[in-house]
Amino acid sequence: MSFELTRHESVFVLTMDNEDNRFNAVSLGRLGEVLDEVEAADGPAALVTTGTGKFYSNGLDLDWIMSGEADWTFADLAMEAQRLMARTLTFPRPMVAAINGHCFAAGAMWSLAHDYRVMRSDRGFWSMPEVDIRIPFTPGMSALIQARLTPQVAHQVMTSAHRYGGEEALKAQIVDQAVDEDSVLPAAIEIAGRLAIKDPDTLGAIKSGMYRTVVEALTE
């Protein structure tokens, strides 16, 4: 997976550029390195994540697992993705997802672990299709979704595989802003920039306390 980490004053921007930006051993390893770098930055810092083209992230790389070339099992991949979600949920720097296109399955779950989400309003869908592809949610994934969405929205998301466009996702409070394509990244950077001054030790402690049971479910 191709990654580009740039910096706009106090805001780091991670651009993922590998077709549909699925999670596999390489991409998860690189994401961990990016989080290490942003966490260790001197002074105010925040992180915006985004994709290119049609996709933000299409979730777990099931093709890689089924190729016979992977040295991980599906359970290994799901566990490592859950560790990323847990770290994101309690990350001591503000994180904003700039959802430029389709955001599905584990990619959608990862976006929920960010502090805020900005989504393109005119094109692209946010969805969790697990019920249609016959992959039940793990206890950790269920805990994350139910912690970040209202009960009725979480129920619809998990049981219907409904595809939310940007405006509908905003109405359901899945995302915090729905804007035109050219405004997605600037809006996310603006949110991140306002929050970058937060003390990382305090922010990390607050988020760890808020989501302790979710993190336990994701990492047990």
Side-chain angles (χ1 to χ4, degrees), residues 140-166:
M141 292 173 178
S142 296
L144 170 62
I145 298 163
Q146 290 173 288
R148 297 293 281 147
L149 299 176
T150 65
Q152 186 57 32
V153 172
H155 183 88
Q156 183 180 45
V157 163
M158 297 174 73
T159 64
S160 73
H162 182 71
R163 292 188 171 198
Y164 295 83

Side-chain angles (χ1 to χ4, degrees), residues 2-6 13-17 21 48-52 185:
S2 174
F3 286 85
E4 181 182 15
L5 186 64
T6 57
V13 176
L14 171 65
T15 303
M16 304 174 289
D17 184 14
N21 299 323
V48 170
T49 64
T50 194
T52 59
L185 187 56

Side-chain angles (χ1 to χ4, degrees), residues 34-53:
V34 168
L35 293 179
D36 288 343
E37 182 174 344
V38 176
E39 184 171 357
D42 292 330
L47 176 62
V48 170
T49 64
T50 194
T52 59

Side-chain angles (χ1 to χ4, degrees), residues 6 16 19 37 57-58 80-81 85 104 118 125 130 143 158 160 189 215-216:
T6 57
M16 304 174 289
E19 297 181 359
E37 182 174 344
S57 174
N58 213 5
E80 289 304 315
M85 295 171 199
F104 292 152
V118 178
F125 293 105
E130 278 75 4
M158 297 174 73
S160 73
I189 291 173
V215 170
E216 290 172 355

Side-chain angles (χ1 to χ4, degrees), residues 84-103:
L84 171 66
M85 295 171 199
R87 186 176 182 188
T88 301
L89 192 62
T90 58
F91 195 62
R93 304 286 194 177
M95 286 185 64
V96 183
I99 303 173
N100 58 290
H102 298 314
C103 184

